[in-house]
Amino acid sequence: VKLDPLARFHPVIAEKGVTVSQEAIASQVGADILAAGGNAVDAAVATGFALAVTLPRAGNIGGGGFMLVHLAEENKTIAIDYREMAPAAASRNMFLDAEGDVDRIKARHSVHSSGVPGTVAGMIYALENYGTMSLKQVMQPAIELAKKGFPVSRSLASSLVRYRDYLGKDSASSNYFYKADGEFYQAGDLLLQKDLAATLKRISKQGRAGFYKGKTADLLVAQMRRNGGLISHQDLLNYKVVERQPVCGDYRSNKVCAMPPPSSGGVHLIQMLNILEGWNLNALGHNSAAYLHRLVESMRRAYADRSLHLGDPDFYPVPAEQLMDKSYAATLRKQIDLSKASRSVDIQPAPTNLINESPETTHYATWDRWGNVVSNTYTINFSYGSGISVAGAGFLLNNEMDDFSSKPGSANGYGLIGGEANAIQPGKRPLSSMTPTIVFDPQGEPIVATGSPGGSTIITVVLQMLLNVIDFDMGIAEATAAPRIHHQWLPDTLRYERGISVDTLNILTEMGHSLGDKPVRLGVTQSIASDKNKIKYAASDPRREGAAAIPE
């Protein structure tokens, strides 16, 4: 794929369809499917399988995720939940040691940390219900990339160097991602993945049975049995995709739709927008101290509520409507002192009587010529998941079980605190921050599709993307490039990117905010916007090399 060297600094313009993802070859796969007459769902499924080959640290068939789909002809938006599920043998205290503390190695870096994968079932569900092409058509590019190889990018080469110790602990991962003599792949070298190609071919021919039954299932279960893991043949057969209603809210005459629980993203994105809607943000100035102070205080309160109230709605009565209620937001807004920072220890989640009812993930989006839109985020949690590959099958296992609350009040790998709502139970889906989002104008036409990786920072990254576009009238590329901040209640630290004014940071410190020691990178968005003439503008985040937006 040949890319315009300036493409990272201005949007790609498309009159028909466009695909944007974190990896250029996968984006080209999606664009080719659109050009061949496929719709946005066809392109999304093709891109998802291609990323499993070309972006192994996050693209996957061994993980799970969320897909938001807008169907233009029906004027309908649906949410497809293909998040991983806890195995039947999982138990509430499975990650606690003899002293009752969380065993971090077992929870994050063992076969016990893997939930039942949902990506393959989710992609097939989306294609069968909303696509137009055959599974063979949309999977063939990924199969070819795995079988014949693809040139290793600089980003992938450096990532494999960085994660050598992590992946090197597993013999299958070592064989798949390093040369036979143990040497590293250099940029431009061909990476062939024959076992993965065979697995993808079985899925292409047999559909869901090609992964959840037969040889692939046998290989996965054998991997579990060799190391005392929990996923069984029955767990694979029992995996189910759930189609849910998106959570939607109104913000300054626009309609914002995102994923419902077990994603916490949609609920708290709308909750924060509701709080912020009470102020004229544009008048404060973008990334001014006054503006960022309001962002932080809104984030602080939303993440406090997340710690207590969010979990799998099939197991816990999540009070989503109450958390997204504008009157509740008004109550929270009144608590905010505009002249000084709150202390997180003084902020408590909403009481339970409210209830009447990795930073390595990857996001991509597709938008077709007919106005159908897909915003999809999926993950294997940490970079390269658990680091353990299924020997003979060619794919990495997720470590999503760490996204459960192994012990109430104990932080997960992203520092997020959880409670009983997100406790481990067999068949339950762990809470997620993934926030694939679609925004609609007052006439109901989609105008923005966006999302990001970033673990706990995903929700706040998406929030700032929407504010940049809606409140500050930025183009999609400018909105993508603008510096970001993040706060998640606990730890009580304001994280920030380079580009935030030193004077602004000093004012925030004087107001009582506790700043991180140094700037960090927050999120890697992949976004598409559409204007009144149905021209699409797509932007890949310049924060990470190798991403691309490609028109059909």
Side-chain angles (χ1 to χ4, degrees), residues 16-36:
K16 295 182 179 179
V18 64
T19 298
V20 58
S21 85
Q22 196 175 313
E23 201 284 318
I25 296 173
S27 293
Q28 186 68 64
V29 167
D32 289 345
I33 291 291
L34 291 173

Side-chain angles (χ1 to χ4, degrees), residues 345-390:
V345 293
D346 297 329
I347 303 297
Q348 297 300 315
T352 53
N353 63 14
L354 172 76
I355 301 171
N356 297 316
E357 78 162 291
S358 137
E360 196 58 67
T361 296
T362 195
H363 179 84
Y364 61 91
T366 59
W367 201 312
D368 66 31
R369 68 187 81 171
W370 303 285
N372 302 301
V373 185
V374 173
S375 184
N376 187 87
T377 313
Y378 72 165
T379 186
I380 45 175
N381 205 17
F382 292 178
S383 287
Y384 302 99
S386 64
I388 300 168
S389 292
V390 177

Side-chain angles (χ1 to χ4, degrees), residues 422-469:
N422 192 37
I424 302 171
Q425 288 180 254
K428 191 176 183 179
R429 300 169 200 263
L431 185 61
S432 172
S433 296
M434 292 184 286
T435 316
T437 301
I438 301 175
V439 181
F440 301 84
D441 68 14
Q443 287 71 48
E445 293 292 330
I447 54 173
V448 175
T450 190
S452 178
S456 60
T457 70
I458 292 174
I459 313 171
T460 58
V461 167
V462 172
L463 171 72
Q464 288 164 91
M465 277 293 298
L466 300 191
L467 295 174
N468 289 348
V469 172

Side-chain angles (χ1 to χ4, degrees), residues 59-244:
N60 70 85
I61 58 170
F66 302 127
M67 182 182 290
L68 205 63
V69 181
H70 176 68
L71 304 169
E73 187 173 344
E74 301 175 45
N75 192 25
K76 178 183 179 182
T77 306
I78 54 106
I80 299 174
D81 175 357
Y82 60 97
R83 181 76 159 143
E84 301 87 344
M85 297 173 68
S91 59
R92 175 69 185 83
N93 299 321
M94 62 182 285
F95 294 130
L96 301 187
D97 60 22
E99 284 72 42
D101 296 321
V102 178
D103 182 338
R104 303 295 181 191
I105 300 299
K106 186 176 182 181
R108 300 173 187 173
H109 310 300
S110 74
V111 290
H112 294 84
S113 61
S114 295
V116 182
T119 294
V120 172
M123 294 293 160
I124 292 173
Y125 178 93
L127 186 70
E128 290 180 344
N129 287 276
Y130 303 108
T132 65
M133 290 183 163
S134 69
L135 186 59
K136 181 179 180 180
Q137 284 176 293
V138 299
M139 289 194 66
Q140 193 57 36
I143 294 169
E144 292 296 312
L145 287 166
K147 182 180 179 179
K148 297 179 180 179
F150 66 95
V152 172
S153 66
R154 289 188 304 174
S155 175
L156 177 55
S158 64
S159 174
L160 289 173
V161 171
R162 189 163 63 253
Y163 283 89
R164 175 59 181 268
D165 290 344
Y166 188 56
L167 294 169
K169 295 175 182 177
D170 179 69
S171 59
S173 294
S174 292
N175 291 335
Y176 291 142
F177 300 114
Y178 301 96
K179 296 182 179 180
D181 58 3
E183 289 298 309
F184 295 110
Y185 283 96
Q186 303 298 313
D189 289 347
L190 277 184
L191 175 60
L192 280 71
Q193 301 174 79
K194 293 184 178 179
D195 285 352
L196 178 57
T199 295
L200 293 171
K201 193 169 184 178
R202 285 192 291 273
I203 298 168
S204 173
K205 287 184 174 181
Q206 303 168 31
R208 181 174 168 135
F211 185 87
Y212 295 92
K213 292 182 181 180
K215 184 174 181 179
T216 306
D218 290 344
L219 290 168
L220 196 160
V221 172
Q223 184 80 33
M224 290 288 144
R225 289 175 176 168
R226 280 194 295 272
N227 299 281
L230 302 183
I231 298 175
S232 68
H233 280 100
Q234 196 61 47
D235 288 322
L236 293 170
L237 291 174
N238 289 344
Y239 183 83
K240 62 180 181 180
V241 176
V242 180
E243 186 171 311
R244 304 185 188 276

